[in-house]
Amino acid sequence: MANENLRLRSALRDLVALSTIPAGWIGIEPRTIATGLADILAGSLGFDFAFVRMLDPTGGVTIDVTSGRATRSFLDWLQTQLSTLDESLRRQTIQNIAGFDERPISLRGMIVPIGFNAYAGLVAVGCERSDFPTEADRMLLTVAANHAATAFRSANLVNERRQAEQEVCKARDELEMKVAERTAELQQAMVELARSEAKLIEAQRVSQTGSFVWNVSTHERIGSREFFRILGFDEPHSVTWEMVLERAHPEDRAQVVETVRQASRSGKDLDYEHRLLMPDRSVRHVHVVAHAGRNSAGQLEYVGAVVDVTAAKQAEEKLHKTQSELARVTRVTTLGELTASIAHEVNQPLAGVIANAEACLRWLDRENPDLEAARRSVDWVIKDGNRATEVIRRLRSLVNKTDSEKTPLDINDVVNEVVALVQRELASHQILLQMKLAPALPMILGDRVQLQQVIINLVVNGIEAMQPVTDRPHELVIRSGLDDTQQVFVSVTDCGVGISAENEERMFNAFFTTKSSGMGIGLSICRSIMEAHDGRLWATACSPHGATFQFTLPMNADTASNVQSFLSSAGAAMPNPARRTRRPISPAPPGVH
């Protein structure tokens, strides 16, 4: 009984001692807790051997600590007991972690979990006493293991809190750094934005382009400084749509209103030009373009620009006048090359007038005047006189300095007039001319003199292209008709030296020429004339030799309705392309008709 009382007193002292342990373990590392627990068990509590295994619940390193001395048989028993536990607890113990007791003693063992379901590890002790383990031993080991579990959990919480604080500090430092970097970027962006805005304002001023935004639903209109400067307003915030509309030229105002109204209803893009009448009565030309879209509220909104094209319009007018003058000079130059042909054309009807007048006198001088024959001679005189007059009229038209005057024309008549002018040139170069003119072509709207100039230029170019050729006949073909797009076309085909692929477009550039004495402006002017007539002019190489120059012109609107009837009649009257007739052009001999 006395021994039991002593043992109880000893157990109470050990419990009191154990109760002070958690305070000393607060805030220390888990390995230190495990080492302290093993030393207490093997030292203060009087056990012969203690093994502590602590698990890191976050998946970290497992801690194994021993204290005291153990026999080989006890370690084998311990390993056997560990092999029956969960995977995290039953791994192999390191054999050299404990001191061995070589005495012939027997250690009795006991395993106590640390924490609920041994979540934090286990404690294994060995004791030489024959009554081990007693209830007091179990109580002491359980209390020690629970204190260790509490301390271990506190240590983990402290570590987690430290890690969390470190992560918070790191995140805060990174956030402050990012805020500082972002602030610097925003400041730089604001500087760049201000610089870009200044450049945009300057670019709009230089290019005379003003931007605007128009909300169709709210009628809100926002314009740039250049937008209002173009319209002639100094205070943009006080400008209304009505004031903007008042700037439109009276002759264009209705068109502007209708264009904007239709666009706002259909939601289509804007693209139109009109004039502005400024307060000083000057006129400006503006080009308006705007893209239609929907804002975040789903409202129709236009974002666009107004471009002051006054200078471009004025330059275009000057260019047109310059081209007209250059075209006139070119006509005179071309006419100089055809002087012999024109002189022949004038002399031929004059010779006919003289011959028929002399014949008339002979008919009248007879003893019995033949009045009927004399009348025929007079008719021929009148006919030749009109022919000479027509030659002179065409000549004056070519050299006269007049503005372009477009009238309804039959393109075949224009071609025939040109052929009459170049007959001498064709004959002197021994050119075989073929005329394949489609009958009953629709009328076109054009300037007769300018179209004559284009055809003359193409014919003369074809004549010159065939001069180096010596191994084949010199043949020139002029065709007219309707193409697949129902436009009137005229083509001039030669059998000359042809054109290279790289020169098909370059030859229409101003001052580009393949002739040693050419100026390189004829074809450029011809293309400009075609564009002014809403037509096209191009060239293609022919196989095996030669080239074709062709232009197209739109039909006159008044005659477009007659196309179907033309196609019906042309189908029957069109000559067979396979049948080629060669007709040399030579001057008719003067004399009585």
Side-chain angles (χ1 to χ4, degrees):
M1 187 67 180
N3 291 334
E4 187 67 26
N5 289 335
L6 291 174
R7 188 173 297 171
L8 288 175
R9 288 192 186 99
S10 177
L12 289 174
R13 286 196 303 270
D14 292 340
L15 285 174
V16 172
L18 287 174
S19 65
T20 62
I21 291 176
W25 282 348
I26 295 176
I28 64 177
E29 295 295 328
R31 176 169 289 278
T32 303
I33 296 174
T35 302
L37 178 60
D39 291 341
I40 290 173
L41 295 176
S44 300
L45 298 183
F47 300 119
D48 296 292
F49 175 77
F51 171 73
V52 179
R53 171 166 287 177
M54 284 191 170
L55 304 177
D56 187 349
T58 63
V61 178
T62 300
I63 300 172
D64 287 348
V65 178
T66 63
S67 182
R69 300 177 68 83
T71 63
R72 174 68 62 182
S73 60
F74 178 80
L75 292 178
D76 293 339
W77 171 84
L78 177 60
Q79 189 61 49
T80 302
Q81 297 299 315
L82 293 178
S83 64
T84 63
L85 302 178
D86 292 340
E87 182 178 357
S88 58
L89 296 171
R90 67 173 182 238
R91 72 180 182 85
Q92 180 76 22
T93 59
I94 301 175
Q95 297 298 326
N96 61 358
I97 62 174
F100 293 102
D101 195 335
E102 301 299 337
R103 295 177 299 158
I105 60 174
S106 177
L107 296 179
R108 299 172 66 84
M110 179 180 177
I111 297 177
V112 179
I114 299 177
F116 181 73
N117 287 335
Y119 79 90
L122 58 85
V123 173
V125 296
C127 186
E128 188 178 355
R129 295 197 324 263
S130 60
D131 62 345
F132 181 82
T134 64
E135 290 299 326
D137 294 331
R138 294 181 185 276
M139 179 182 64
L140 291 175
L141 287 172
T142 301
V143 171
N146 288 337
H147 285 337
T150 302
F152 188 50
R153 182 170 179 80
S154 298
N156 286 331
L157 292 175
V158 170
N159 287 336
E160 290 176 0
R161 186 184 68 184
R162 288 176 180 173
Q163 291 178 358
E165 289 177 350
Q166 291 176 355
E167 291 178 357
V168 169
C169 291
K170 182 179 179 181
R172 182 185 61 196
D173 293 341
E174 292 178 352
L175 180 60
E176 290 178 353
M177 184 179 297
K178 289 182 178 180
V179 169
E181 292 176 353
R182 186 57 178 165
T183 301
E185 290 177 358
L186 289 176
Q187 291 176 347
Q188 182 65 25
M190 292 178 64
V191 173
E192 293 294 333
L193 180 61
R195 186 180 304 168
S196 299
E197 184 178 359
K199 290 182 178 179
L200 179 60
I201 293 175
E202 181 64 17
Q204 288 191 357
R205 187 189 64 80
V206 172
S207 64
Q208 296 185 335
T209 302
S211 57
F212 67 90
V213 178
W214 170 36
N215 189 306
V216 178
S217 301
T218 63
H219 303 292
E220 180 184 10
R221 294 176 177 85
I222 302 174
S224 66
R225 184 182 307 172
E226 186 64 16
F227 171 78
F228 291 101
R229 191 201 66 79
I230 292 175
L231 296 178
F233 294 109
D234 297 329
E235 299 179 4
H237 298 292
S238 63
V239 176
T240 64
W241 165 245
E242 289 72 19
M243 297 172 64
V244 173
L245 189 59
E246 287 178 359
R247 280 288 190 265
H249 196 283
E251 297 179 1
D252 300 344
R253 192 171 300 158
Q255 172 196 351
V256 173
V257 172
E258 182 63 20
T259 301
V260 173
R261 183 184 65 83
Q262 291 183 359
S264 62
R265 288 184 176 180
S266 62
K268 295 182 178 179
D269 293 347
L270 285 169
D271 189 348
Y272 65 95
E273 291 186 2
H274 70 96
R275 294 170 294 173
L276 299 177
L277 183 60
M278 309 308 291
D280 60 358
R281 310 307 296 174
S282 63
V283 176
R284 287 183 183 176
H285 296 262
V286 292
H287 185 189
V288 181
V289 291
H291 175 67
R294 299 284 175 176
N295 59 14
S296 58
Q299 298 170 333
L300 180 61
E301 198 171 64
Y302 281 92
V303 179
V306 175
V307 185
D308 188 348
V309 295
T310 305
K313 288 291 184 181
Q314 293 174 349
E316 185 178 342
E317 293 177 0
K318 292 181 180 179
L319 177 62
H320 177 70
K321 291 182 180 179
T322 302
Q323 287 180 334
S324 298
E325 181 64 20
L326 187 59
R328 190 187 68 84
V329 173
T330 305
R331 289 200 301 267
V332 174
T333 304
T334 304
L335 187 63
E337 298 175 357
L338 302 176
T339 301
S341 177
I342 295 171
H344 172 77
E345 288 298 316
V346 174
N347 287 333
Q348 187 178 18
L350 290 180
V353 169
I354 295 172
N356 286 298
E358 291 175 349
C360 178
L361 290 177
R362 286 196 298 271
W363 294 120
L364 293 175
D365 287 342
R366 285 189 175 187
E367 183 177 354
N368 293 317
D370 190 341
L371 297 180
E372 186 62 28
R375 185 182 299 276
R376 287 196 301 271
S377 296
V378 172
D379 290 338
W380 291 332
V381 169
I382 295 173
K383 182 177 180 181
D384 285 333
N386 290 333
R387 182 181 173 190
T389 301
E390 182 64 19
V391 171
I392 298 301
R393 185 190 65 80
R394 290 198 300 264
L395 177 60
R396 293 184 62 185
S397 297
L398 281 171
V399 298
N400 191 26
K401 183 178 179 180
T402 57
D403 293 335
S404 176
E405 181 179 354
K406 296 180 181 178
T407 58
L409 298 173
D410 184 341
I411 195 64
N412 287 345
D413 291 343
V414 179
V415 172
N416 288 324
E417 292 170 355
V418 170
V419 170
L421 286 173
V422 298
Q423 278 187 7
R424 176 64 178 231
E425 194 75 11
L426 294 168
S428 63
H429 290 91
Q430 298 181 346
I431 304 298
L432 300 175
L433 177 65
Q434 291 191 63
M435 302 281 287
K436 296 185 177 181
L437 306 182
L441 282 175
M443 302 290 283
I444 55 98
L445 191 66
D447 184 286
R448 180 183 296 272
V449 175
Q450 290 186 355
L451 296 180
Q452 286 177 347
Q453 175 190 346
V454 172
I455 299 174
I456 288 176
N457 197 301
L458 300 184
V459 170
V460 171
N461 284 349
I463 294 174
E464 293 177 350
M466 291 185 286
Q467 295 313 299
V469 176
T470 59
D471 60 344
R472 56 182 177 271
H474 293 182
E475 186 176 77
L476 192 72
V477 182
I478 301 179
R479 294 182 176 88
S480 69
L482 281 181
D483 63 6
D484 296 338
T485 62
Q486 301 304 307
Q487 288 192 322
V488 177
F489 76 85
V490 173
S491 65
V492 178
T493 302
D494 62 68
C495 57
V497 295
I499 53 178
S500 62
E502 62 181 9
N503 289 337
E504 283 190 13
E505 280 300 321
R506 295 177 60 199
M507 65 173 47
F508 292 98
N509 295 340
F511 305 109
F512 174 82
T513 181
T514 58
K515 305 174 185 177
S516 58
S517 60
M519 294 179 61
I521 60 175
L523 289 176
S524 175
I525 293 175
C526 290
R527 174 166 280 187
S528 298
I529 292 174
M530 284 298 104
E531 292 175 351
H533 284 73
D534 298 325
R536 290 180 56 237
L537 171 63
W538 69 96
T540 54
C542 298
S543 179
H545 43 67
T548 296
F549 287 80
Q550 180 170 318
F551 64 82
T552 58
L553 293 168
M555 291 183 294
N556 185 16
D558 295 337
T559 62
S561 59
N562 298 327
V563 172
Q564 190 60 40
S565 61
F566 160 73
L567 293 175
S568 300
S569 62
M574 189 67 68
N576 185 358
R579 186 176 62 229
R580 299 169 59 90
T581 58
R582 296 183 177 180
R583 177 171 58 90
I585 302 298
S586 59
V592 181
H593 294 285

